[in-house]
Amino acid sequence: MRQTILAAMLLMLPAAANAQFRINNRENSPLRKLQFAEVAINNLYVDSVDEQKLVEDAIRGMLDKLDPHSAYLTPKEVKDANEPLNGNFEGIGVQFNMMDDTLMVIQPVTKGPSEKVGIIAGDRIVSVNDTAIAGVSMSKEEIMKRLRGPKGTKVRLGVVRSGIKDRLLFTVVRDKIPVHSIDAAYMIRPGIGYIRIGNFGAQTYQEFVESLAKLNEQGARDLILDLQENGGGYLKAAVDIADEFLQQGDLIVYTEGRTTQRSEYRAHANGMFTDGKVVVLVDSYTASAAEIVTGAIQDQDRGFVVGRRTFGKGLVQRPLDLPDGSMIRLTVAHYYTPSGRCIQKPYTKGGGKDYAMDMVNRLKSGELTNADSIHFADSLKFETLREHRTVYGGGGIMPDYYVPLDTTVYTRFHRELAAKSIVIQQNLRYVDNHRKELKKRWTSFDDYKQNYEVPQSLIDDLLAEGKKQKIEPRSEAELEKTLPYLRLQLKALIARDLWDMSEYFSVFNERSEIVKKALEVIQQ
């Protein structure tokens, strides 16, 4: 019986994978043992089993015992994971938010399919192909599924517009919609440009070059490169961007593993920005490809790093495509900075929960709030390649200038208001009700940034909504501590809705201690 079962089994692996390694099919191999267990369960177990799920659970079980970043992805998870990095998706082209169970358009994508037919900011999309999507408790994911579709297909949208009595109907032809990874690019001070990169995708390098060229035209001699909360992405995008700051031949990063030989990535030619001062902003959520750029600039003494120790994700995953469209992302090597520092922070195999608690542990240890709480062993000391400054290994990139996390900014009251989406919702209502007068009064963003003050009526409405949902400050002192940051957040959100993300960050950055320190470093 056993021999019959085993003889009937086939192991399916992609041709590309088979070309790279040989499968051991000897009688007593661990692989045979795994095959026997799967077939035995599927054929003999007392209840019916889902064979697909059985195999997926087995794969996940094996990967869970390895490192925190080796993973199995279903076909849908592969598509969802790749979409933000591929640089585009196919749909109607609007930025939106949900307000009172209704989709409100924040901005139509410039020259996108919705803008072409006349959909404008403030419109509420209430139906898709005659199916109501407003007031029916439909999930955001389900709404997006209905709005997206193959390029060239048509979708009929029902729209409610302020000041228009009747419902408007638009037929939108779906198209490719760009997904931008440059969150902001503007002149933060005379002679100083600012670029914030949200992730490293397929189009990031091209976006970066275009943004840098515009800043150069505006007189940018120095640059702040903001990689805070950047979780990484494509290695090639990170290498190409680092290349623009370095001299020909400079080492950017290298990889090495147990069965993977050392592979080096070097600058190919003198880049677009090799002379001016550079400051890179990082925090605890700066990871992977973002750490590669940061480590290269720091180790090559091309610029300084400001903020807090980065995440420490320095494991190289090789994608192994499976026949059904699913994928195994298997760690095959480590990333190392030019000075030889391993970016990956320590972990215990199979210790995923401890790894996930790292940020909490950093806060408890005082690392995020007090530089004196951070200690490095002598064995973790490295030197930069040109000026021989001391830098540190042990996981993540330690900044040259440490800026503590200001835990007093986010009060309990503010956190609860934000968690219930009260801040976002009240901002949407305010802009929706005052869009025309706001655009008429504030034709210049510089004028807005300098002189606009959030009205007390908006604060009062927000507090009243919080009270209705039983979210109130515990004391007058907590309220007073909450209001300055709350006003700043609202001003930035209004700027985003009237202009775009560059204006949003332009407002926020004026109060950011990390940005202030970066300006100080550049101007010293």
Side-chain angles (χ1 to χ4, degrees), residues 159-229:
V159 171
V160 173
R161 180 173 295 169
S162 179
I164 304 296
K165 182 179 179 182
D166 297 326
R167 180 181 299 188
L168 304 174
L169 296 175
F170 296 93
T171 298
V172 180
V173 180
R174 296 183 179 99
D175 203 347
K176 285 193 176 295
I177 308 301
V179 178
H180 296 294
S181 51
I182 301 293
D183 291 336
Y186 69 97
M187 294 296 292
I188 192 168
R189 293 290 186 274
I192 305 175
Y194 169 94
I195 297 178
R196 181 182 175 103
I197 304 178
N199 62 52
F200 289 89
Q203 304 301 320
T204 304
Y205 173 65
Q206 186 59 39
E207 288 181 43
F208 175 79
V209 168
E210 292 171 0
S211 298
L212 191 57
K214 288 180 181 178
L215 293 179
N216 284 339
E217 289 176 4
Q218 296 173 40
R221 298 182 302 274
D222 306 314
L223 182 71
I224 295 174
L225 181 62
D226 192 345
L227 300 182
Q228 295 179 87
E229 299 181 10

Side-chain angles (χ1 to χ4, degrees), residues 122-379:
D123 281 352
R124 292 168 173 82
I125 299 176
V126 296
S127 66
V128 179
N129 291 331
D130 300 322
T131 299
I133 64 170
V136 293
S137 300
M138 187 177 291
S139 70
K140 186 175 180 179
E141 291 72 21
E142 180 62 25
I143 292 174
M144 290 176 66
K145 181 180 177 182
R146 291 174 182 272
L147 293 175
R148 292 185 179 183
K151 176 182 177 181
T153 58
K154 295 180 180 180
V155 59
R156 185 175 169 88
L157 305 179
V159 171
V160 173
R161 180 173 295 169
S162 179
I164 304 296
K165 182 179 179 182
D166 297 326
R167 180 181 299 188
L168 304 174
L169 296 175
F170 296 93
T171 298
V172 180
V173 180
R174 296 183 179 99
D175 203 347
K176 285 193 176 295
I177 308 301
V179 178
H180 296 294
S181 51
I182 301 293
D183 291 336
Y186 69 97
M187 294 296 292
I188 192 168
R189 293 290 186 274
I192 305 175
Y194 169 94
I195 297 178
R196 181 182 175 103
I197 304 178
N199 62 52
F200 289 89
Q203 304 301 320
T204 304
Y205 173 65
Q206 186 59 39
E207 288 181 43
F208 175 79
V209 168
E210 292 171 0
S211 298
L212 191 57
K214 288 180 181 178
L215 293 179
N216 284 339
E217 289 176 4
Q218 296 173 40
R221 298 182 302 274
D222 306 314
L223 182 71
I224 295 174
L225 181 62
D226 192 345
L227 300 182
Q228 295 179 87
E229 299 181 10
N230 184 316
Y234 291 148
L235 170 63
K236 185 179 187 306
V239 169
D240 288 345
I241 287 175
D243 199 337
E244 295 301 331
F245 295 99
L246 302 175
Q247 305 290 335
Q248 185 173 0
D250 284 349
L251 181 61
I252 295 171
V253 66
Y254 68 90
T255 64
E256 197 167 17
R258 179 177 65 89
T259 61
T260 306
Q261 292 183 343
R262 174 167 169 150
S263 178
E264 295 184 349
Y265 298 82
R266 293 182 177 272
H268 293 105
N270 292 344
M272 290 177 62
F273 207 87
T274 58
D275 295 325
K277 295 180 180 178
V278 179
V279 172
V280 184
L281 310 186
V282 299
D283 62 12
S284 302
Y285 297 100
T286 303
S288 191
E291 293 175 291
I292 289 171
V293 175
T294 305
I297 289 176
Q298 187 181 53
D299 281 6
Q300 293 290 358
D301 289 297
R302 179 60 192 89
F304 293 107
V305 180
V306 172
R308 293 178 288 279
R309 181 166 66 97
T310 62
F311 184 86
K313 198 280 186 184
L315 298 176
V316 184
Q317 276 77 51
R318 173 183 163 189
L320 300 173
D321 297 315
L322 300 177
D324 64 349
S326 60
M327 175 193 290
I328 292 175
R329 285 183 176 170
L330 188 66
T331 296
V332 296
H334 287 91
Y335 287 119
Y336 295 88
T337 70
S339 67
R341 292 180 287 167
C342 180
I343 293 173
Q344 179 62 40
K345 62 187 176 185
Y347 63 89
T348 302
K349 288 185 177 180
K353 290 184 179 180
D354 291 339
Y355 190 80
M357 291 294 290
D358 180 55
M359 291 302 145
V360 175
N361 294 333
R362 290 191 196 192
L363 183 60
K364 288 180 178 179
S365 71
E367 176 184 330
L368 300 183
T369 55
N370 190 343
D372 293 337
S373 300
I374 306 170
H375 304 284
F376 292 96
D378 288 342
S379 61

Side-chain angles (χ1 to χ4, degrees), residues 370-502:
N370 190 343
D372 293 337
S373 300
I374 306 170
H375 304 284
F376 292 96
D378 288 342
S379 61
L380 297 177
K381 288 184 179 181
F382 291 75
E383 287 188 347
T384 60
L385 302 185
R386 286 179 168 81
E387 298 179 8
H388 306 291
R389 297 181 297 113
T390 298
V391 289
Y392 298 95
I397 306 295
M398 187 65 191
D400 302 295
Y401 296 90
Y402 171 86
V403 179
L405 176 68
D406 185 359
T407 57
T408 65
V409 170
Y410 310 98
T411 64
R412 174 209 59 86
F413 180 45
H414 181 272
R415 287 195 300 272
E416 291 186 6
L417 289 172
K420 290 287 188 178
S421 299
I422 293 173
V423 179
I424 292 289
Q425 292 293 313
Q426 291 303 312
N427 168 74
L428 289 173
R429 284 195 182 89
Y430 173 76
V431 174
D432 188 41
N433 293 331
H434 300 86
R435 188 180 300 275
K436 288 185 179 179
E437 60 192 82
L438 284 168
K439 286 197 168 186
K440 183 177 180 180
R441 168 63 183 85
W442 304 105
T443 56
S444 161
F445 171 69
D446 289 337
D447 183 21
Y448 172 91
K449 183 178 176 182
Q450 186 71 28
N451 298 303
Y452 179 79
E453 293 185 5
V454 174
Q456 186 60 41
S457 60
L458 174 54
I459 299 295
D460 291 342
D461 289 345
L462 193 152
L463 297 178
E465 181 62 27
K467 186 175 183 179
K468 185 191 297 185
Q469 298 192 36
K470 298 182 179 179
I471 300 174
E472 297 183 76
R474 291 173 180 169
S475 65
E476 190 65 27
E478 185 180 29
L479 176 61
E480 290 305 311
K481 191 179 288 186
T482 301
L483 287 177
Y485 185 78
L486 183 59
R487 290 182 186 277
L488 175 69
Q489 184 181 20
L490 289 167
K491 182 173 180 176
L493 287 169
I494 294 168
R496 178 204 65 182
D497 293 354
L498 297 180
W499 289 280
D500 211 332
M501 292 301 294
S502 287

Side-chain angles (χ1 to χ4, degrees), residues 277 279 304 306 401 516-524:
K277 295 180 180 178
V279 172
F304 293 107
V306 172
Y401 296 90
K516 288 179 183 178
K517 186 63 180 179
L519 290 168
E520 178 187 318
V521 170
I522 285 178
Q523 294 167 342
Q524 67 187 9

